[in-house]
Amino acid sequence: MVSRFAFFANLAFLAVAGLLVSVSPGRSVEGDGTVAVISDLHFDPFDPPELAATLAGSAPAAWSATFASVDNRAMSRSGQDTNHALLVSSLAAFAKRAADADFAIVPGDFLAHEFEEKAAKALNVAPTSQVVAEMTVKTTVFVADLLAEALAGKPAIVALGNNDSSCGDYRIEPGGRYLAATRETVRRLVGTARLDPDFDETYAAAGYYAARHPTVANGLIIVLNDILWSTKYRDACGTGGLAAAEAMFDWLRERLARQRAAGGRVWMVHHIPWGIDPYSTIEAPASSCPAKVVSFLQEPYASAFPALLAEYRDVLQASFSGHTHFDDYRLLIDRQGAAIGVDKVTPAISPIFGQNPGFQVFTYDRRSGAPKDFSTWYLANPGDAPHRADWRFEYTFTEAYGLPAYSPAAVETLWKATSADSARRSTYQRLYAVGRGTLDLDKLQAYACAIRHLDRPSFTACYCGTVQ
């Protein structure tokens, strides 16, 4: 009860103070639904570190009372992960925007970067200790509880991120204790009746599952734990990583085939975007441009995953990811060069990489399930006191880019505009960092190439002007 009271007391205060934006960038027509998307919360419970021992010794339901003793602290500033003040402010703003939403999507990363190291330092224990492992679970449950309260009973479709583990970054253990300990939390957020019958098996195995779409008839939401396919993944706490990665891919193929046979559609939720990592590519120390190109996923999945999605282009209707912390897109291209799908990369709440905290709200057709548009809200003053939180409406996709709808064709039009000096290119550069500066022109080519060129040879030709 303390947790619920503390959260909604904060929410009510912010609303009364006029800090929750009431701008409505557009009205839904009859038959439209909305889904709110929030990603990369990266909550750091060790800010301030003196609360760590109390938190470690208590249940997540008691944590809000502990944090109440330091609620006058400023929200996290740029370059930091999310502290309690920023988490509460973000979820209050999200609750306001999600009040009329059908459900929410969370593409991963509940836990702060270097969580195990921060926990070990704050608690004066080894990073591999049992108490640190318990803190990963408690923190996940705490954030999930606040999210559930913000959504007031609406379902939340949750994916795991690379930091969501008790073994370390990119080290989720298939069949391990973190998955076992968080399974009931995910079940509660999604809703038991909505989950496919094999949820217990697939989530415990590697953190993936399928759920019935909350509003779209014969719609399925597939949630992947694509950390298993990452170039950075290491099964450091187990031995089943390779088998689990293969099993998830086979399961995905079977689910897509089943949906096609049933005449249904699929929304996909995952953490890592498709294709190439432009940031790592720019920063890579390799001596030649082709050698610098870094894929998000390892082979065979870097090639097989987009190929499978292209094969089921008639089934895949929407895709949502996070991970990069910025506002971006990835196109799915068929062999004829046509744009047949789009993955929306959602901005982060954590401002650790320099963008403003932000989230997005999408409209979609409840009859067909097709996304139609989205809008972005962001915090303009991270680092300020929570009672001065300035959450603002930033833009609506169709209005900002002058396009008829959010769709693969529209994002391809946007992508084409990045190759020339144009209003759309400038808008993309400005919106990329969520209200905080612009994407540098000398980096734009790498990021623009990454939108459309998912495979290494195609990206290399775009970025380096040569083919491997």
Side-chain angles (χ1 to χ4, degrees):
M1 287 299 290
V2 174
S3 173
R4 181 168 295 138
F5 176 80
F7 176 77
F8 282 105
N10 277 298
L11 194 157
F13 173 80
L14 291 169
V16 170
L19 299 172
L20 295 180
V21 178
S22 59
V23 175
S24 179
R27 295 180 180 179
S28 296
V29 299
E30 184 177 354
D32 280 359
T34 58
V35 56
V37 186
I38 188 169
S39 191
D40 292 270
L41 289 95
H42 288 292
F43 177 52
D44 180 3
F46 311 111
D47 178 14
E50 57 266 24
L51 301 182
T54 301
L55 298 174
S58 58
W63 281 21
S64 286
T66 301
F67 284 116
S69 65
V70 294
D71 267 352
N72 60 340
R73 290 176 63 86
M75 297 177 292
S76 301
R77 64 179 182 274
S78 180
Q80 296 180 326
D81 265 333
T82 304
N83 64 6
H84 184 254
L86 177 56
L87 180 66
V88 169
S89 178
S90 299
L91 290 179
F94 189 65
K96 179 74 172 181
R97 292 296 115 210
D100 296 324
D102 300 319
F103 64 107
I105 287 174
V106 188
D109 270 345
F110 280 44
L111 302 181
H113 295 86
E114 300 178 345
F115 187 94
E116 288 78 10
E117 292 78 4
K118 291 175 180 177
K121 182 177 180 181
L123 295 167
N124 195 27
V125 296
T128 57
S129 70
Q130 180 64 25
V131 67
V132 171
E134 291 173 354
M135 280 298 290
T136 65
V137 174
K138 287 183 176 182
T139 304
T140 302
V141 172
F142 176 72
V143 175
D145 284 348
L146 291 189
L147 177 65
E149 289 166 359
L151 292 171
K154 295 182 176 70
I157 310 299
V158 177
L160 296 178
N162 52 284
N163 291 106
D164 297 331
S165 164
S166 61
C167 183
D169 192 14
Y170 293 97
R171 293 184 175 188
I172 187 73
E173 180 187 1
R177 55 189 175 182
Y178 180 84
L179 292 169
T182 58
R183 183 171 58 186
E184 293 309 309
T185 296
V186 173
R187 187 197 309 277
R188 175 167 49 87
L189 287 173
V190 178
T192 301
R194 197 166 284 111
L195 290 162
D196 262 18
D198 64 352
F199 168 77
D200 283 350
E201 175 187 351
T202 60
Y203 188 84
Y208 60 96
Y209 61 94
R212 178 172 50 82
H213 195 290
T215 62
V216 177
N218 205 13
L220 186 72
I221 300 180
I222 290 178
V223 180
L224 298 174
N225 184 5
D226 52 8
I227 308 309
L228 296 173
W229 300 339
S230 168
T231 57
K232 298 180 180 179
Y233 177 68
R234 300 292 181 272
D235 189 10
C237 294
T239 58
L242 178 61
E246 293 174 348
M248 182 170 66
F249 190 82
D250 291 343
W251 173 89
L252 172 61
R253 186 192 303 276
E254 187 275 334
R255 279 294 184 276
L256 291 171
R258 184 188 300 181
Q259 275 298 94
R260 174 182 280 170
R265 296 295 185 92
V266 164
W267 284 21
M268 187 166 294
V269 180
H270 56 120
H271 186 62
I272 302 176
W274 308 330
I276 304 299
D277 180 350
Y279 174 82
S280 295
T281 294
I282 291 170
E283 298 296 323
S287 58
S288 70
C289 181
K292 289 170 68 70
V293 178
V294 178
S295 296
F296 276 121
L297 303 184
Q298 61 181 303
E299 293 293 354
Y301 307 107
S303 299
F305 184 32
L308 180 64
L309 298 181
E311 179 184 348
Y312 285 93
R313 58 181 293 177
D314 56 316
V315 177
L316 182 66
Q317 194 166 46
S319 183
F320 302 89
S321 64
H323 188 57
T324 70
H325 287 222
F326 293 87
D327 189 350
D328 212 354
Y329 313 83
R330 294 293 184 273
L331 284 167
L332 186 65
I333 307 298
D334 68 10
R335 292 182 179 180
Q336 288 70 47
I340 56 174
V342 60
D343 180 41
K344 184 67 192 72
V345 185
T346 308
I349 292 300
S350 166
I352 193 170
F353 295 135
Q355 93 300 334
N356 280 324
F359 58 85
Q360 296 175 323
V361 179
F362 289 72
T363 58
Y364 66 96
D365 189 318
R366 287 197 184 105
R367 293 178 297 274
S368 70
K372 300 178 68 174
D373 208 351
F374 70 86
S375 299
T376 303
W377 281 262
Y378 74 101
L379 178 65
N381 59 336
D384 209 337
H387 69 275
R388 289 198 291 267
D390 184 12
W391 285 92
R392 299 179 181 178
F393 164 71
E394 185 181 23
Y395 75 100
T396 296
F397 178 85
T398 54
E399 296 174 2
Y401 291 109
L403 293 166
Y406 168 69
S407 66
V411 174
E412 184 172 44
T413 298
L414 165 58
W415 171 78
K416 289 178 179 177
T418 62
S419 63
D421 187 4
S422 66
R424 284 180 177 145
R425 186 182 78 175
S426 297
T427 300
Y428 170 76
Q429 290 178 263
R430 174 175 54 83
L431 298 178
Y432 180 81
V434 200
R436 192 178 185 89
T438 61
L439 178 62
D440 292 343
L441 189 60
D442 62 350
K443 297 179 180 179
L444 176 63
Q445 184 178 2
Y447 286 87
C449 289
I451 292 175
R452 194 180 192 277
H453 299 283
L454 304 186
D455 62 277
R456 190 182 180 96
S458 175
F459 179 90
T460 302
C462 176
Y463 182 54
C464 305
T466 183
V467 179
Q468 288 178 296

